[in-house]
């Protein structure tokens, strides 16, 4: 008998038809993933099974004329993972990133997601993943906003007006219908004004642009930050309300008080431990720290200025039963999200199942019968 293998191809339009833009559902799925992280029912790459991904970073110079050279945000990264629970599937998000893509009319990063049968390795689906990745990146801080705020927020501040923060704002608004105002800031005022206009039209909430990051966050109960890696953001603790919740989905530089006088909640402690392990083995720990969102925190931990990771709390722990929960919202809280392939796999799997149910996408044949066995 033959062993015919088919898989479903889902274009970006197919993913939209399957519901990739349903922010509220994506938040629910991501919260489900945090439960699996807390239980340990997942695996990612690397010897520690918690690596963000395996990347190719190009050199500054090369004797080979066709080899790509280093440039802003230029890399290739594979992000493999297994996720248990109802998902029970393996997968890999693969992406290439290059800031120069925007000059070609392309997104900075071009992403695909492949899901595979956990036993045979056969592909189940190949999906366009730019919207999947943006949606889950926005949904993760929105999950945090459900649990790390002492009161219902009325003012949301958004620093960075790119695709990621657009998704974060959308997801956060879906969780907090009582929001009264959104304030946007970007390195260009025109971009912030455009984001404010679009948000007001879309959500029916008063939205304005701020010329400075300080003005943007001044009155905010809740702040989402996803600024460009190519334009470092410098923050000061004194800019923020004493009880603000800050959701980081991108790199920032801040004064020491911003970190030492805040309650820091991580997306997943094992991921951050893996980052530190990889920094040590890289041979240049400080340079490695420069390239990751948690770098400023890891430096302060090394210096003994804030609690080590093993004594810290992540969102999965916050979601445990009340008697196990080691965190209660109080004072300034900073949530740090660095991105994990398990969230892409969960959201991709959810969309794949809906695509199957609704007949969305194209069935492709890998082989009618494998040539070699």
């Amino acid at each position: 008998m033959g062993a015919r293998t088919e898989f479903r191809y889902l274009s970006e339009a197919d993913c939209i038809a399957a519901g990739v833009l349903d922010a509220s559902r994506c938040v629910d799925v991501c919260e489900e993933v945090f439960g699996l992280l807390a239980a340990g029912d997942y695996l990612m790459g690397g010897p520690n099974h918690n690596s963000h991904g395996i990347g190719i970073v190009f050199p500054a110079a090369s004797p080979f004329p066709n080899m790509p050279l280093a440039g802003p945000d230029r890399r290739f990264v594979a992000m493999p993972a297994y996720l248990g629970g109802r998902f029970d599937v393996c997968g890999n998000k693969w992406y290439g990133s290059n800031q120069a893509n925007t000059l070609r009319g392309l997104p900075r990063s071009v992403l695909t997601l492949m899901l595979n049968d956990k036993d045979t390795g056969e592909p189940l689906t190949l999906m366009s993943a730019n919207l999947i990745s943006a949606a889950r990146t926005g949904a993760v801080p929105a999950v945090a906003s459900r649990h790390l705020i002492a009161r219902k927020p009325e003012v949301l501040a958004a620093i960075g007006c790119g695709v990621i923060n657009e998704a974060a704002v959308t997801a956060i608004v879906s969780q907090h219908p009582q929001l009264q105002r959104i304030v946007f800031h970007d390195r260009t005022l025109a971009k912030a004004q455009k984001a404010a206009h679009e948000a007001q039209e879309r959500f029916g909430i008063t939205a304005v642009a701020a010329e400075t990051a300080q003005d943007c966050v001044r009155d905010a109960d809740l702040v989402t930050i996803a600024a460009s890696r190519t334009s470092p953001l410098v923050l000061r603790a004194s800019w923020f309300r004493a009880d603000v919740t800050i959701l980081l989905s991108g790199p920032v530089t801040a004064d020491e008080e911003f970190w030492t006088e805040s309650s820091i909640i991580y997306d997943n402690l094992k991921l951050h431990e893996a980052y530190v392990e990889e920094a040590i083995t890289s041979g240049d720990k400080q340079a490695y720290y420069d390239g990751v969102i948690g770098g400023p925190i890891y430096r302060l931990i090394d210096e003994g200025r804030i609690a080590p990771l093993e004594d810290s709390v992540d969102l999965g722990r916050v979601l445990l039963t009340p008697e196990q929960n080691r965190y209660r919202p109080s004072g300034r809280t900073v949530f740090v999200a660095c991105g994990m392939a398990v969230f892409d796999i969960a959201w991709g799997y959810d969309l794949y199942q809906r695509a199957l149910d609704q007949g969305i996408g194209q069935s492709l044949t890998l082989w009618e019968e494998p040539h070699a066995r």
Side-chain angles (χ1 to χ4, degrees):
M1 294 179 63
R4 191 169 191 265
T5 296
E6 294 181 326
F7 63 97
R8 187 160 296 259
Y9 169 70
L10 297 175
S11 67
E12 183 171 84
D14 293 331
C15 289
I16 292 172
V20 71
L21 301 180
D22 185 344
S24 183
R25 183 180 178 102
C26 188
V27 175
D28 290 339
V29 170
C30 287
E31 179 156 326
E32 190 176 352
V33 174
F34 276 111
L36 295 172
L37 292 177
D41 194 5
Y42 74 100
L43 293 168
M44 297 201 302
N48 46 38
H49 306 300
N50 279 281
S51 178
H52 171 79
I54 303 168
I56 298 172
V57 178
F58 297 110
S62 172
F64 306 103
N66 292 329
M67 181 175 287
L69 300 181
D73 233 350
R74 192 169 194 185
R75 62 193 180 277
F76 279 90
V77 179
M79 298 174 64
Y82 163 79
L83 184 63
R86 71 176 174 92
F87 306 99
D88 197 27
V89 71
C90 285
N92 180 60
K93 184 173 80 171
W94 169 247
Y95 74 90
S97 179
N98 187 350
Q99 187 65 37
N101 278 357
T102 57
L103 301 177
R104 303 184 177 99
L106 292 169
R108 174 183 57 81
S109 296
V110 178
L111 305 96
T112 55
L113 177 68
M114 175 73 80
L115 300 181
N116 298 80
D117 184 283
K118 67 171 185 178
D119 294 315
T120 68
E122 293 171 287
L124 301 174
T125 181
L126 173 63
M127 314 172 73
S128 171
N130 277 58
L131 294 179
I132 291 172
S133 184
R136 70 83 170 158
T137 304
V140 165
V143 175
S145 79
R146 283 177 166 177
H147 302 280
L148 302 184
I149 301 175
R151 65 179 189 283
K152 293 182 177 181
E154 296 181 352
V155 180
L156 170 65
I159 298 180
C161 298
V163 172
I164 297 305
N165 234 7
E166 179 183 348
V169 168
T170 300
I172 291 166
V173 170
S174 78
Q175 303 305 303
H176 301 286
Q178 78 286 342
L179 281 167
Q180 297 178 9
R181 186 158 61 101
I182 308 175
V183 187
F184 291 89
H185 171 71
D186 197 83
R187 53 185 169 179
T188 63
L189 181 59
K191 192 169 184 179
Q193 291 171 331
K194 181 174 182 290
H197 174 75
E198 291 175 350
Q200 187 158 309
E201 290 287 311
R202 184 176 180 188
F203 305 122
I205 299 172
T206 299
V208 298
E211 291 194 30
T212 68
Q214 182 176 2
D215 289 340
C216 181
V217 304
R218 189 187 312 278
D219 300 318
D221 307 297
L222 185 60
V223 180
T224 172
I225 300 176
S228 171
R229 292 179 181 273
T230 61
S231 180
L233 177 65
V234 181
L235 304 174
R236 294 192 176 278
S238 61
W239 295 353
F240 298 87
R241 291 178 54 153
D243 57 353
V244 69
T245 297
I246 302 166
L247 311 170
L248 295 182
S249 301
V252 301
T253 300
D255 59 5
E256 188 170 311
E257 183 185 349
F258 178 85
W259 305 109
T260 60
E261 301 300 321
S262 299
S263 296
I264 300 176
I265 308 297
Y266 301 86
D267 49 357
N268 183 260
L269 285 171
K270 291 185 180 298
L271 171 70
H272 293 270
E273 290 169 353
Y275 271 125
V276 173
E277 290 175 14
E278 291 165 7
I280 293 170
T281 59
S282 72
D284 191 343
K285 184 165 67 172
Q286 299 306 317
Y288 191 95
Y289 284 172
D290 287 340
V292 295
I293 295 172
I297 303 172
Y298 310 151
R299 285 194 178 95
L300 290 171
I301 291 174
D302 289 346
E303 296 168 4
R305 295 178 182 273
I306 58 177
L309 291 170
E310 59 265 26
D311 295 330
S312 300
V313 178
D314 61 21
L315 191 55
R317 176 59 61 91
V318 171
L319 298 180
L320 292 176
T321 56
E323 61 269 19
Q324 295 174 296
N325 188 344
R326 294 167 55 193
Y327 177 78
R328 295 290 185 277
S330 176
R332 183 172 60 242
T333 300
V334 177
F335 173 70
V336 184
C338 288
M340 300 178 71
V342 288
F343 291 101
D344 299 280
I345 286 172
W347 188 224
Y349 179 86
D350 199 76
L351 295 169
Y352 165 63
Q353 292 297 321
R354 279 189 280 170
L356 289 179
D357 291 344
Q358 299 173 33
I360 297 169
Q362 182 179 357
S363 179
L364 300 178
T365 301
L366 189 66
W367 51 52
E368 294 291 344
E369 183 175 345
H371 181 74
R373 284 177 286 185

